[in-house]
Amino acid sequence: MSDFTKLLLNKTEEINQHIVDFLPKEESLAHTVFDAMHYSVAVGGKRLRPMLVMETYRLFGHKEEALVWPFAAAIEMIHTYSLVHDDLPAMDNDDYRRGNLTTHKKYGEAMGILTGDALLNLAYETGLKACVCANSHDEQSICQARCVEALQLLAMKAGVFGMVGGQAVDVESEKQEDCPITREKLDYIYERKTGALIEASMGMGAILAGASSKERTIVQQLAYKIGLAFQIQDDVLDVIGDEAVLGKPIGSDDKNGKPTYVTYEGLEQAKEDVRRLSMEAIDLLHQLPGNKEFLEKLICYLISRDK
Ligand code: GRG
C-alpha cells in the first residue's frame, strides 16, 4: 500500500469518526429513522466532500478544526440524503448502493424518504449549531460571519440553484423520450447535480479559513474542474467499471437510454478530458498558499479512481 493510500485511509477513518459523532443516538419511538440514518451514512463511501472541506481549510494553515468539522459532516449528510432519494423507486429505483441494500430496500420506501429528509435537516441543524457556538469565540463576529457565509453557500449549492435543480432537469429529461438530453443540457445537469456540492465543499473550507476573495475565486474554478472531471469519470466507470468494486451495476445509463458525456465524446475523449481537467485543477491549486501535496495526490487519485 502506498503512503498516499495509507494517508487516504487514515483521513477517511478520521472523517467517519467525526460524522458519526454528529449523528444523533436516539432510543425513542422514532428509533427506526435514526437507525436508517446511521445505516445510510455508515455503509461506506469515499467521503470525498468532507475531505475537500477539511483539506481546503488546512491549505490556509489554520488549526481550529473543531469549527470546521460540523460543516464537513453536514455536506456528507446532504450527499447521503441525495443518494438515498436518488435510489428511490420514483427516481433511479436501485436496490444496491456501495455494495449494500439501498435504504428504502432495507427499511421500506416511506422510511427511505424520511431518512433523506432527516439527513437534510440534520445537516443544517449541525451547521447552525456551529454558527451559534462560534458566538463564544474570541474573535466572535468574524468567526460567526464565516460560519453563516459557509452555511449560505451550502444551502444554495444543495438546493434548487444547485444539486436539486440539476436533478430536476435530469429527471424531466429522462421522461422526454422524443427529446433526449442535449449536450448543453448535459453540462447544466453536471454543473449542478455533481459539481455544486464539490464547489460547496471547497468553498466552505476556503470561507471558514478566511481566504481572500482572489483565493476564493481560484478555489471556485478549481472545484468546478474537479466536479466536472469527477462526473465524467463516473460516466466512464458506468461503461468500463467493475461492478464488484463499484458496489452497483454498470451499464445503467446505456440500459436506460440515457446520454452521458461518453455518448457525446466517446470513451477515449472522455478519459482524456478527465485527465486534462484534473491537470488544469492542479495548476490552479498551485496558485494557492500552503502545503498542496495531499490535495494534488487526491486529484490524481480521482482521475484513476475505480469506484
Ligand atoms: C435526489 C435531490 C437529489 C439529488 C440526487 C447525487 C445525485 C443527485 C444523484 C446520484 C447519482 C449520481 C451519479 C450523481 C452524480 C454525483 C455522484 C457521482 C455521486 C456519487 O458520489 P460518490 O462517488 O459516492 O462520492 P460515495 O458512495 O463514494 O459517497
Side-chain angles (χ1 to χ4, degrees):
M1 196 186 282
S2 71
D3 286 350
F4 170 72
T5 311
K6 276 187 213 150
L7 195 56
L8 187 64
L9 284 176
N10 287 342
K11 284 180 187 277
T12 308
E13 196 37 50
E14 184 190 26
I15 291 168
N16 286 340
Q17 283 303 323
H18 278 278
I19 297 172
V20 169
D21 286 348
F22 287 104
L23 291 179
K25 290 144 207 71
E26 174 84 31
E27 295 300 326
S28 73
L29 281 178
H31 60 87
T32 307
V33 75
F34 284 93
D35 272 7
M37 289 163 82
H38 277 270
Y39 173 80
S40 310
V41 172
V43 287
K46 294 180 287 298
R47 312 301 192 207
L48 171 69
R49 293 154 193 81
M51 199 170 289
L52 288 174
V53 175
M54 297 311 297
E55 295 305 321
T56 307
Y57 178 80
R58 285 168 182 160
L59 264 188
F60 295 90
H62 295 279
K63 299 272 182 283
E64 293 204 36
E65 297 193 351
L67 179 79
V68 192
W69 280 112
F71 296 90
I75 196 125
E76 189 67 12
M77 289 175 201
I78 291 183
H79 168 61
T80 306
Y81 120 75
S82 80
L83 300 181
V84 170
H85 278 190
D86 190 63
D87 291 334
L88 286 168
M91 295 216 190
D92 274 4
N93 196 16
D94 280 321
D95 293 352
Y96 288 92
R97 162 81 58 186
R98 300 163 168 171
N100 292 277
L101 281 179
T102 47
T103 306
H104 71 275
K105 273 281 154 190
K106 192 167 164 73
Y107 291 91
E109 192 177 343
M111 208 49 82
I113 295 170
L114 290 168
T115 302
D117 294 342
L119 285 167
L120 175 60
N121 277 284
L122 185 65
Y124 295 119
E125 287 170 52
T126 306
L128 278 166
K129 263 191 222 154
C131 296
V132 175
C133 294
N135 233 345
S136 60
H137 194 269
D138 278 355
E139 297 167 7
Q140 48 174 275
S141 59
I142 298 178
C143 191
Q144 195 174 34
R146 287 179 191 170
C147 288
V148 170
E149 202 181 343
L151 211 52
Q152 262 176 338
L153 180 70
L154 180 63
M156 198 262 278
K157 294 286 182 187
V160 75
F161 302 107
M163 184 179 69
V164 172
Q167 178 76 352
V169 174
D170 195 9
V171 165
E172 198 171 40
S173 309
E174 269 180 55
K175 295 211 172 84
Q176 296 169 336
E177 281 161 22
D178 51 335
C179 173
I181 300 178
T182 58
R183 180 58 208 276
E184 191 193 13
K185 230 186 222 181
L186 194 71
D187 289 345
Y188 183 97
I189 294 168
Y190 284 10
E191 278 166 22
R192 286 158 185 81
K193 187 173 132 172
T194 313
L197 283 200
I198 292 182
E199 285 175 35
S201 306
M202 299 193 79
M204 285 197 295
I207 290 168
L208 294 168
S212 68
S213 67
K214 187 169 171 234
E215 287 163 340
R216 279 171 54 180
T217 304
I218 296 170
V219 168
Q220 200 270 324
Q221 292 166 343
L222 158 61
Y224 176 86
K225 287 182 191 290
I226 295 180
L228 194 51
F230 188 76
Q231 179 57 56
I232 301 173
Q233 182 66 8
D234 206 64
D235 293 348
V236 167
L237 289 175
D238 194 58
V239 179
I240 59 164
D242 178 334
E243 292 191 1
V245 178
L246 281 171
K248 60 176 186 181
I250 66 159
S252 56
D253 295 328
D254 195 36
K255 203 170 73 195
N256 298 332
K258 195 171 166 183
T260 70
Y261 197 87
V262 174
T263 321
Y264 283 103
E265 302 296 337
L267 187 59
E268 289 316 310
Q269 186 62 45
K271 285 187 196 166
E272 172 52 28
D273 287 347
V274 173
R275 203 200 58 79
R276 174 185 52 78
L277 285 161
S278 305
M279 291 308 129
E280 288 171 6
I282 289 173
D283 283 346
L284 285 162
L285 179 65
H286 281 279
Q287 294 177 32
L288 293 171
N291 183 345
K292 298 166 262 290
E293 200 183 331
F294 180 77
L295 262 178
E296 182 168 342
K297 286 189 176 149
L298 183 65
I299 297 171
C300 292
Y301 156 78
L302 292 176
I303 312 177
S304 55
R305 75 189 170 97
D306 55 5
K307 65 175 184 177

